[in-house]
Amino acid sequence: MSATPLPTLTTKELTSDQEVRWCPGCGDYSILAQMRKALTTVGLPREKLAFISGIGCSSRFPYYMNTYGFHTIHGRAPTFATGLKLANPDLQVWVVTGDGDGLSIGGNHTLHVLRRNVDVKVLLFNNEIYGLTKGQYSPTSRTGTKTKTSPTGSIETPVHALAFAVAAEATFVARTIDVDVQHMVATLQRAAAHKGAAFVEIYQNCKIFNDGVFDYATDKSVKADNILYLEHGKPMVFGKDRNKGIRLMGLQPEVVEIGKDCGLDDILVHDENSPDPTLANMLARFTVPKFPEVVGVLRAVKKPTYNEVTDGLIAAAVEKNRGTVADLFKADDIWTVE
Amino acid sequence: MSLPNGSAGVAAPPVATPGATNTHQRPIQEVDAITIRFAGDSGDGMQVVGTQFTNTSALVGNDIATFPDFPAEIRAPAGTLAGVSGFQVHFSSQAIHTPGDVLNALVVMNPAALKTNLRDLEAGGFLIVNTDGFDKSDLTKAKYTSDPLEDGSLAGYRVIRVAITKLNIEAVKDCGLTPREQDRCKNFFALGLVYWMYERPLEPTLKWIQSKFAKNPAVMEANIRTLKAGYNYGETVELMPVQYRVSKAKIAPGTYCKITGNDAIALGLVAAALQAGRTMVYAGYPITPASSVLEKLAEMRRFGIKTFQAEDEIAAAGVAIGASFGGAIGVTGTSGPGICLKSEAIGLAVMTELPLVIVNVQRGGPSTGLPTKTEQADLLQVMFGRNGESPAAVIAPMSPTDCFTMAMEAVCIATRFMCPVFLLSDGYLANGSEPWNITEASKLPTIDIRYATESNMGDWGGAAHKLSTATDSEGGGAGKFLPYRRDDMLARPWAVPGTPGLEHRIGGIEKQDVTGNINYEPSNHEHMVRTRAKKIENIALTIPDLEVRGPEDAELLVIGWGGTYGSITTAVDRAHRKGLKVAQAHLRYLNPMPKNTAEVLGRFKKILVPELNAGQLLMLLRAKYLVPAEGLNKIQGKPFLISEIEAAIEQRLK
């Protein structure tokens, strides 16, 4: 059998005729560029790709992709994506959402699309602020964040997006950063290849209303000490001098200095395939300054997708005894009037 | 019908031997119709025996109509007023359209059932009482301060006292059941008794018991024995001085089954999907009284139907619309509170011009309201309950069987016009049943659903539509498809994701006509608002005219919509028999209304609009057609009595 070459695309082919209207310097520009780049080699033609979004700055994304796209209503993108995938299981469906859209008004749907393992890829652009409504605190804003609706600082505890995804039984959970372009392309391609619900949090800078909130994770002078790049099967080492690591003491993780506190063998090794979500949950909650914040794939496990299971049940029922129009008029208790 | 007035209080005779035969002949009295209600605790199996009685009556050739009445609580404390469950059957030798106004006979298993149902029993009607259910604690639970069987308060009825609990135990004691299991058979004793009263054969129910309890022979045997015992008991002790006979009805030839409105909706949706040869996705969230549509469809996988139980009402609407975007027939079903939650999503379907069927099985409102009771108070909600100018089609079935036809019609309109269509049913239609002529129903229309398969740029002038903000030069392979280029009815093309070359983006932001590009220009917005409205109006070009029934020179038109059809029709029939000059019309299409509606309304001096709400169709007719229509309104969670409409007609023609 001769192998048919998979289709490849150019970034230009993936670019729609619409003018991109994000603010200058917005992290979304980078995400859009990396997404186009990532899709050039996923092996699908444009017509098999669909981008579904809710409301917010991030949700303008579908207009800029020359694929099928649907800009829906606030928080509900996962539901439209689920319906689209039910109707049309061959599509690769991406949900583009933000911290307000996906974790506040749409938190319920994010939970359930992940729990069901619907075969969609959820990208959560996290800028820790409401941008499109001009600067109110979001469910991921850090306690104390001063905004127009929290003039003396937010009094709320933020949600950890990745811990939420892990708790929702997502089968693929990852994080990347808007300015880390190569890492983002690789992460998006991993998500594209995953069968089932994939959840990717992207740290995204809002130049206008929350500028610099991720500087600790992007500024070259401090980044290495604040970010831990996860690699499957590799010890969790980070730091400018690659001499810091994560060690587990009982159930508690701690940051240690390799060579001083312990050897490399004592450093926790990443296992993204662990069926147990404990490790992924622990990593998801790492927060600077106590711990480095993780980027990369926290969790990637295999599980039948919602679409495989439901389509399988229908196919089996149809094969066993296909229902026809005539069957609609068969009842247990019928009578005839002459 | 009329029944001879007898003296009240037929004394309970001593326990007779079940199974004994008696060949005494009673005088037989022919009557046109009987309405009977079985009432007991919600755990007493009243729905089961009511259904069995109905099926048997249909099999012997009567016309039938039923209405169950059950509490919102699944199992309210036994014996309490809140826990009473009833099932009403109307069976007749004539064509009937309602489950009956007043009861000719009432079976009550306990005092709570007596208290909540007695008001519906006609004077002199038969009251069959399970005397074993009337001990002191039962009376207390039903808040009786004295025993109605003893205090003379039932003097206006013909009371038939039967120790149903004890007689049942006697009949089933050797079947090897626990005392609790034995007691649970007593509904079939009562059914046997009523079968005897109305000359019904036992065979259909015996057959049903045999198949239902095939895996549990002891329960099967017990139910068979007690059913027969109930029948024989009636015969032995001669409970009634006469035997009432309801002959076969003259019914159009064909094969029939009995169907409820919700089942008919489910079957109609499936029929539409099969006739169109397209995938259907039905997404719902459990809600009374719509859940049984989702349940029915969930067991119909072999027809290729995809059901989805969503996390909430909003998600159910989103899934249905997403499915429509994907080329399936997206359907969501709910009741009023669910419509509130889905409204924003429905607005998106209006804006993006995607097909969507929204089944609303109405119940009493506002808020949680009366979940298990019927009402027609969501008409204005579905007409106007969205932000902005957001027109959608609205249709309403008029009977349980019409739910099938109108469910198919909803799919046809939604896919032909690329718009949301509300199918407004109600709790009365949903749970009520009537005979369905499946010979007729199986003659189905074809449904032609077309997808766009190639570029529609062809003869497009283009320049006039170019958008100032679009930068076409940047596009790579973009712009081969115009998602809002409309056909003669103003419907836009449906291009399904997966189709090469037709990639396009849609969304809730106002868009330029033809291209679908985002557009905030003032004149464009007005153009689009008017275009979306005109498209809905165009539906009127494809629907049947409003039919009028009645004398040419009628002075009064009675016009209704939805589930009140049966009561209105019967009331108008009665008025005709009295020689009253009244005509009837029934709107199955509410938005748009049939194109001859103005002409019809203009013909009559007086217009009466009976509705189970405070006057919603009335408001639409008066606003739209400037006619002096009057309302007849009832908001009690219950259907109209025929007599209520009849009286209103007479009053206006005095």
Side-chain angles (χ1 to χ4, degrees), chain A residues 12-21 45-52 55 60 62-74 76 78-89 91 105 108-110 112-113 115-116 118 306 310-311 313-314 317-318 321-325 327-338, chain B residues 55 58-59 64 251-258 267 270-271 274-275 281 300-312 314-315 318-319 321-323 325-328 344-345 348 352 354 404 435-436 438 441-442 444 469-472 474-478 495-500 502-509 517-518 520:
Chain A
K12 197 179 168 201
E13 283 170 325
L14 286 161
T15 302
S16 77
D17 61 357
Q18 300 296 296
E19 184 185 18
V20 182
R21 294 208 220 166
R46 280 186 318 175
E47 68 267 18
K48 295 284 186 195
L49 298 167
F51 283 82
I52 314 295
I55 294 291
R60 296 299 179 95
Y63 289 116
Y64 309 137
M65 296 294 298
N66 190 19
T67 62
Y68 283 95
F70 197 175
H71 179 210
T72 71
I73 50 175
H74 205 6
R76 321 300 172 193
T79 71
F80 296 92
T82 299
L84 177 59
K85 192 72 187 174
L86 277 173
N88 213 329
L91 302 176
I105 191 167
N108 192 32
H109 310 301
T110 306
H112 292 283
V113 76
R115 170 182 73 83
R116 292 191 181 104
V118 180
Y306 185 90
T310 193
D311 289 344
L313 288 168
I314 289 173
V318 168
N321 182 15
R322 176 186 286 275
T324 65
V325 168
D327 295 330
L328 295 174
F329 304 100
K330 286 178 188 161
D332 291 338
D333 299 298
I334 58 165
W335 67 95
T336 301
V337 176
E338 306 278 320
Chain B
N55 292 352
L59 286 171
I64 50 156
I251 296 172
T255 300
Y256 286 79
C257 70
K258 187 184 53 135
L267 295 184
V270 176
L274 293 176
Q275 288 299 93
V281 174
M300 297 183 79
R301 273 196 192 120
R302 70 190 184 97
F303 294 88
I305 300 301
K306 298 189 181 188
T307 57
F308 185 83
Q309 182 175 315
E311 59 270 28
D312 60 29
I314 300 170
V319 166
I321 297 167
F325 177 61
E344 188 190 9
L348 179 69
T352 52
L354 282 170
F404 178 85
W436 188 34
I438 54 184
S442 59
L444 297 179
T469 49
T471 51
D472 293 55
E474 283 180 13
V496 176
T499 312
L502 305 190
E503 295 83 9
H504 65 283
R505 277 69 53 194
I506 58 172
I509 301 183
N517 290 334
I518 291 178
Y520 296 110

Side-chain angles (χ1 to χ4, degrees), chain B residues 103-430:
Chain B
L103 305 175
N104 306 118
L106 170 65
V107 179
V108 295
M109 303 300 278
N110 65 18
L114 176 66
K115 192 167 208 173
T116 50
N117 290 280
L118 188 64
R119 72 174 87 103
D120 296 331
L121 182 62
E122 67 178 355
F126 285 101
L127 179 64
I128 298 101
V129 181
N130 175 19
T131 51
D132 292 334
F134 278 68
D135 67 22
K136 201 152 181 229
S137 74
D138 298 319
L139 293 166
T140 309
K141 278 184 220 158
K143 299 191 162 54
Y144 273 114
T145 48
S146 68
D147 185 350
L149 297 179
E150 308 297 337
D151 65 12
S153 60
L154 303 178
Y157 308 98
R158 285 178 290 178
V159 182
I160 299 174
R161 298 157 188 256
V162 187
I164 293 176
T165 307
K166 287 197 200 81
L167 289 165
N168 167 62
I169 299 285
E170 192 65 27
V172 304
K173 65 183 178 192
D174 299 329
C175 296
L177 301 182
T178 65
R180 192 179 151 73
E181 287 169 335
Q182 289 179 0
D183 188 58
R184 291 190 57 172
C185 299
K186 67 176 182 287
N187 55 335
F188 280 98
F189 185 94
L191 179 63
L193 193 64
V194 177
Y195 275 158
W196 171 80
M197 286 174 67
Y198 296 106
E199 240 196 340
R200 318 265 100 173
L202 299 185
E203 283 67 29
T205 296
L206 289 173
K207 214 174 108 189
W208 180 84
I209 292 172
Q210 278 158 1
S211 118
K212 173 87 182 167
F213 301 108
K215 287 185 183 148
N216 197 339
V219 172
M220 184 206 296
E221 178 61 22
N223 281 319
I224 288 173
R225 281 197 203 179
T226 196
L227 179 75
K228 289 181 175 170
Y231 190 94
N232 292 338
Y233 178 80
E235 185 157 288
T236 306
V237 304
E238 293 191 60
L239 280 182
M240 286 163 67
V242 293
Q243 176 136 29
Y244 293 102
R245 174 169 294 167
V246 178
S247 301
K248 280 188 178 189
K250 287 189 197 76
I251 296 172
T255 300
Y256 286 79
C257 70
K258 187 184 53 135
I259 194 159
T260 63
N262 273 6
D263 279 358
I265 287 176
L267 295 184
L269 291 172
V270 176
L274 293 176
Q275 288 299 93
R278 300 293 184 201
T279 303
M280 176 172 284
V281 174
Y282 183 100
Y285 181 77
I287 183 169
T288 303
S291 304
S292 59
V293 179
L294 176 60
E295 290 163 3
K296 177 84 182 169
L297 289 169
E299 63 187 31
M300 297 183 79
R301 273 196 192 120
R302 70 190 184 97
F303 294 88
I305 300 301
K306 298 189 181 188
T307 57
F308 185 83
Q309 182 175 315
E311 59 270 28
D312 60 29
E313 295 283 1
I314 300 170
V319 166
I321 297 167
S324 284
F325 177 61
I329 302 165
V331 186
T332 186
T334 186
S335 189
I339 298 292
C340 296
L341 288 162
K342 293 179 199 294
S343 296
E344 188 190 9
I346 295 167
L348 179 69
V350 170
M351 188 62 150
T352 52
E353 302 185 49
L354 282 170
L356 173 69
V357 173
I358 310 120
V359 178
N360 178 2
V361 186
Q362 300 165 95
R363 66 190 215 187
S367 186
T368 307
L370 294 78
T372 60
K373 310 296 179 194
T374 197
E375 204 160 276
Q376 296 182 297
D378 297 349
L379 175 57
L380 296 182
Q381 178 190 28
V382 302
M383 284 290 296
F384 304 117
R386 291 169 295 286
N387 62 304
E389 297 290 351
S390 185
V394 182
I395 63 176
M398 59 184 189
S399 66
T401 56
D402 195 39
C403 288
F404 178 85
T405 310
M406 295 311 268
M408 286 193 78
E409 183 72 344
V411 173
C412 290
I413 295 173
T415 53
R416 172 65 187 88
F417 287 87
M418 299 293 282
C419 67
V421 178
F422 285 95
L423 180 66
L424 273 185
S425 182
D426 61 47
Y428 171 78
L429 295 178

Side-chain angles (χ1 to χ4, degrees), chain A residues 238-280:
Chain A
F238 68 104
K240 218 175 331 200
D241 305 320
R242 301 289 292 167
N243 64 341
K244 292 192 213 173
I246 303 296
R247 181 171 70 175
L248 211 51
M249 292 297 282
L251 288 174
Q252 293 301 317
E254 58 178 6
V255 174
V256 291
E257 196 177 322
I258 302 161
K260 184 176 160 213
D261 301 324
C262 62
L264 189 60
D265 289 352
D266 296 318
I267 299 301
L268 191 57
V269 173
H270 184 44
D271 177 9
E272 64 186 32
N273 303 138
S274 169
D276 185 299
T278 309
L279 176 66

Side-chain angles (χ1 to χ4, degrees), chain B residues 529-558:
Chain B
V529 165
R530 295 196 187 282
T531 302
R532 287 185 288 263
K534 184 75 177 85
K535 182 179 76 165
I536 297 299
E537 284 169 23
N538 283 347
I539 296 168
L541 302 173
T542 66
I543 61 175
D545 273 356
L546 183 60
E547 285 175 27
V548 181
R549 189 176 73 94
E552 279 289 309
D553 57 345
E555 231 182 289
L556 171 69
L557 175 73
V558 184

